[in-house]
Amino acid sequence: MRSQMFYRVKRGAFLILAYTVLLAVAAACLFPLLWMFGSALKTQETIFSDFSLFPQQPHWENFVVAWTQANFNTYFWNSVFYTVAVVLGLVLFSSMAAFAFSRLDFPFKNALFLLFVCMMMIPLPGQFVALYVLLTNLNLVNTRLGYILPQIDAGQALAIFLLKTFFDKIPKDLEDSARIDGCNKLGIYRHLALPLAKPAIAVVVIFNCLAVWNEYLLAMLIFSEKKLMPLPRGLMVFQGTHLTEYALLMAGVSITVIPIIVVYLVMQKYIISGITAGAVKG
Amino acid sequence: MSGKAVRQYARMSCAGILLAMLCGIGGCSGSGSGTQPSGKKEPAKKADVVVWHWMSDRDAVFQELAKQYEGQTGQVVDFQLFAPSEAYSNKVRASAQTKTLPDIFGILAETRDFASFIKAGFVENLTPAMEADNSQWKKAFFEKALAMETFVEGNQFNVNPGIYGVPIDVMNIQFFYNKDLFAQAGLDPEKPPLTFEEFIAVGKKLKAANIQGLVSGWSEIWMINCLADNFAWNLMGRDKITATLKGDVPYSDPDWIRVFSLFKEMQDAGVLATGMITMVNKHAEQTFANGKAAIAFNGTWGVNVYRGMNPKLNYGVFLPPKISDKYPVAVWGGAGSSFKINALSAQKEKALQFLRWMTEVPQQKLLADKTMNLPSNKESAADIIPALKQFSAAMEYAVHPSQLPYSEFPRVVEAMGKGIQLIIIGSKTTQELAAELVALKQEEMKRLEAKKAAGK
Amino acid sequence: MSAVLELKKKYTWKDAPDMLTSYLFIVPALVIFLLFGLYPFLQVFWLSVHSWDGISAVKEFVGLQNFIEVIRDQYWWQAMKQAGYIAFLALTFQNALALILALLVDQDIRGGNAFRVIFYLPPVLSGIVVGLIWGWIYDGNYGLLNKVLEVFGQGQFARAWLADPKTALTCVGIIHMWKGFGWGFVILLAGLQGIPRELYEAADVDGAGSWHKFMHVTIPMMIPVFVLVMILTILGTMQIFDIIASTTNGGPGYATEVPVTRILASMLGSSRFGYSCAQAVVFGVILLIISLTQLHLSKKMKQA
C-alpha cells in the first residue's frame, strides 16, 4: 500500500516537473509567433507602443494590404512552384543516387560517395561570382531552371547521405526475393527501396522546403524580371533601405510562415518512423 | 515479367518527363531577358533603358517617374530593384564579370571599389555632359554631392579625372534631440548644445534625471566613424586629414588621440545610452522614437522613420558639437544615392537623357516629397518640409571621405570603428588604438608599395 | 558507411552493361553536382591563390600568400574560436535541452503532439522577428532580462547584455540555441520513438530500474542519432551569421565575430575577394576535418 502511494506521489511530482519544463519552453517558442501575429494587426504607430499581444482594434485588413502590396499573387505561387520543383527533383535524384551508392556496385563508387559527403561539409560564401558566370554561359540567367538546379545541388549532398544510411538498412533477403520475382534494379528501387524510404524522404522534404521557401540571395542574383522572383522579394517592399513598415511586414511574414507549418504538420507523421528505420536500427 | 519492367520504366519516365516539363515550362517563360545592355528584348514591352538599384523605399517613386517619362518622351525605362544591399552588391559584382551590367546602375561601395569599376571600364565619364552648355547640369547639384562622384587630378587610384555619377538625392547625419525629455531633465528645449563642453553637460544632466542619452546604430562601424570624422575635420581640418590618409601624419598624432578620447569622455559623462555600441540602427531608431532616449545620431532619413513610428515625437536637430574654433564644424554627408551609366551600354545617350530629366526640379521635388530624402538639385531644396530644412542647410558643412583625393584602407577603417567601440567600454586605451592603427597602416602601405613595384 | 571500407573489386568487360545501368542512377545527381557544386568550388579555390578585388579584370597570382595571411590573422582565429564556443554551447546545452524535451514528450504524456509542433516553431521564424524580440530582451535600458533581474532583487547584474564583451557572445549563443533546438528535438524524438518497445519490456522482466533502462537500452540505441544530430549541430553552428547580423554586427569590438562575418567583411567590406576565398577554403577544410573525424569516431563506436 505504502509503496503504491509512494509511486503515485513520485509519478505526480515527475509530471509536475515535466509539465513545468515543457510549458516554459513552449511559452518561449510560442511568444514570438503570437507577437508576430499580434503585430500584424497593429499599425506602424502602435506596434512599438502597444505591448498587448492582441490589439484593441485589430487591423485585419493588414493581411489583405500586405498580400496585394507585396504582390504575393505572383511571388507566392512562384515560391510554391520553386519549392515543389526543387524538392521533387532533389528527392528523385538524390534517392536514385543514394540507392546506387547503397545497393549497387560500380567502379569508383566509394570515391564518388566520399566526394559528395565532403561537399556537404564545405560551405562557400563567395561562390556567387563563379555561379553567375556559369549560369550566364549556360544561358540560364534569369530563368526558372537556373534558379532550381543550383538549389537541388545545395540540398542533395545531405539528402544522399541521409537516404543512403537509410537504404543500407534494407535487409538483403528482401532485395533477393524481389529479384527472384523478376525485378531489375529500377524495379527494386521503385517498388522496394522508395516505399520503405518514405519516412527519410519526409525528412529531406522538411529540411529543404524551409530552405527553398526562404531563399532570396540566389534569386536576387540570377533573376532580373520581377515576375520570376520568389516570396522574399515581396517582403522587400516593407523593408525600406531605412524605413521599415513593421505592421505590414509582420502580416507578410505571417502569411509566409503558414505554408511551412502546414508542410511540417503533414510530413512529421512520416519523420517519426523515418529517422527510426534510417538511423536507429543498429 | 517483362511487362512489369516495362510498366516500371514507363512510370519512371513519366515522373521524369513531368519534372522536365515543370522545369522546361519555367525555362521558357523566364527566358526573355531585359537585362542585357545590348537590349535583348522582352516580349511584352521593350525597355529602352534598364536601371538596377537597391533602394527598396524609393522603388515606388522610381516606377512613377518612369511612367511619367514614358508619357512625356515615349521612352520606356525599366527600374529593377534588388534588395537588401548585400544581395545587390553581389549582383552588380557578378554581372560586371560577365559584362552584363544594365544601362544604368548604382554602386554600393567605397570609393576604392567605385574606382575599380571605373578602371575596369564599366562606368562612363560624365564630365563632357555635365560641363556642356556652360556647365548647366553640373551647377544644378549640391557641390558636396557631386564631389563624391568626382575623381580629381592626381587621385590615389589613378582614375582619369572626371565626374562618374549622377547624384539622385543627398543626405547628412546630425543629432536629433527629444525636446520633451530635455525639458524633463531641466534643460532648455530650444537650446541644444553647441560645443562639446555643453554636450557633455547635457549628458550629465540627462543622467542625473535618469534619462538615457545618445543612441545610434553604432554596431555598424561606419556610423561610429561618421562622428569620429566629424570631430577630426573640426579639429584638424581638411589638409591634415588628407595628410593622414596619404600616410604623412600618423594616427598617433595628438589630434587623433584627442578624437578617440572624446568618445571616452562622452562615455564617462554618461552621454551614451547603455548598450548603444552594439545597437543596430533600427533598434536605436525605435528607442529614440518611443522617448526612451533623449538624443539620436542619425541620418536625414530619420525624419521619415520617426514620423512613421511616433508622429507626436517633439524633436529638434543640432549640428555635431564644436570641439575647436580652428576649423569649421563638419557634418558627415554627401550623395545619398547616385546612378552611374554603363560605359559598355549601347543606350548610353538615352540613359544620359533620362538621368538629366530625373535631376530636373519637378522630378527632384516629387522624389523628395515622396521619400523625404533631400533632393540633389539645389533649386528643389527651396520648398521642402521644415524638418528637412535644417538638413538641407547643413549640406554646407557636409564632409565625406570620398571628397578627398586619398582614402583610407578598409582594414584601418574597420580597426578604427571597432577600436572606438572598445575604448567606449574601456577595454582599449586611446594609445593602444593609435598604435594598432599606425601598425596596420604601415602594413597596408607596404603592400601597396610592393604592388606598385611589381606593376612597374 | 561499411561500404566505404570494402575492398576494391576487380571489374571485367563482362560487367560493363551492368555498370552502365548502375551509373545511370547517379548521373543526374552527379551532373548537377559537378556543374553547380564542384565547379564553383574549384573557382573559389583558384581565386584563393590570387589577389583580386572582385571587380577588376586583373587577377594577380600570389601563390599561398593569402593563406599565410589567413593563418596570421588574429581576428580570423578569434572568430573561429568564438564560433567554436557557440558550437560547444549548442552541442552541450542545446542538445541536452532537445534530448530532455524529447524524452519528456516520449513519455506518452497528454499534449505531446501539441508540444511536438510548438518546439518546431523557432526554426521557421523569420530572422527579422528573432532579431526584434531578442533585441528587446537584451536591451540595456528597458530590456526584459534586466527587468526580471530587478524583480528578483538581482538588479546589480543588470547590464547591456549585447554590448558587454563578457556576455555578448554567450547571449548571441543563447539566441542561436533557442532557434536551433527544434531540429535536434524532432530528430531525437523520432529516434526515441523508434526504439522497439520490446527492448524495454525485456528489461522490465529483468527487473531493471528506469535509470538502468536509460543507460543500457536508450543510450546505446540512440548513438547513431546522436552522431547525426552532432554533425548537423556543428555544421549549422559554425556557419552562424544571420543572428549576428541582426543583433551585434560582430561587436563590441570583435567579441561576436564569427568566420562567416569575417569572410563577408573581407569580400564586400574591404574588397579582398581572393583573400576571402582563402578564408572560405580554410574554413571548409576545418569543417571537413571535424566532420570526418566525428564520422570516423562514430564508426569505431559502432564497431566496439
Side-chain angles (χ1 to χ4, degrees), chain C residues 3 35 53 75 88 115 122 127 130 146 154 172 192 209 221 251 272 284:
Chain C
L35 273 177
D53 63 2
Y75 295 130
F88 170 76
F115 288 121
V130 175
N146 283 348
Q154 304 294 314
V172 170
L192 284 172
M221 290 300 286
R272 299 176 67 203

Side-chain angles (χ1 to χ4, degrees), chain C residues 112-165:
Chain C
N113 275 329
F115 288 121
R116 200 178 284 175
V117 176
I118 290 169
F119 294 153
Y120 176 72
L121 291 176
V124 292
L125 273 184
S126 135
I128 306 156
V129 179
V130 175
L132 274 173
I133 300 243
W134 284 92
W136 297 328
I137 292 176
Y138 287 139
D139 190 280
N141 315 320
Y142 54 94
L144 189 69
L145 186 54
N146 283 348
K147 280 207 180 115
V148 170
L149 284 173
E150 266 162 47
V151 168
F152 287 101
Q154 304 294 314
Q156 75 272 21
F157 294 117
R159 66 184 76 210
W161 295 91
L162 291 173
D164 187 331

Side-chain angles (χ1 to χ4, degrees), chain C residues 253-271:
Chain C
Y254 299 85
T256 54
E257 289 280 353
V258 288
V260 179
T261 58
R262 297 311 298 166
I263 291 173
L264 291 179
S266 35
M267 188 162 68
L268 295 176
S270 35
S271 292

Side-chain angles (χ1 to χ4, degrees), chain B residues 271-285:
Chain B
V271 177
L272 306 181
T274 324
M276 59 92 67
I277 56 161
T278 49
M279 266 187 200
V280 285
N281 204 36
K282 298 210 170 191
H283 191 99
E285 284 166 350

Side-chain angles (χ1 to χ4, degrees), chain A residues 118 120-123, chain C residues 80 231 234-239 259 280-294:
Chain A
C118 288
M120 177 176 87
M121 319 288 179
I122 300 186
Chain C
M80 208 70 197
I231 290 183
I234 291 181
L235 291 181
T237 309
M238 292 301 286
Q239 295 179 56
V281 170
V282 170
F283 185 44
V285 167
I286 290 174
L287 284 189
L288 193 66
I289 292 173
I290 297 175
S291 309
L292 289 182
T293 313
Q294 247 179 333

Side-chain angles (χ1 to χ4, degrees), chain C residues 92-115:
Chain C
T92 50
F93 294 102
Q94 175 189 323
N95 287 347
L97 178 70
L99 181 62
I100 289 170
L101 294 173
L103 284 169
L104 290 178
V105 173
D106 189 46
Q107 297 285 316
D108 288 332
I109 55 172
R110 217 169 280 172
N113 275 329
F115 288 121

Side-chain angles (χ1 to χ4, degrees), chain A residues 79 100 110 118 187 244:
Chain A
S79 270
N110 296 335
C118 288
T244 307

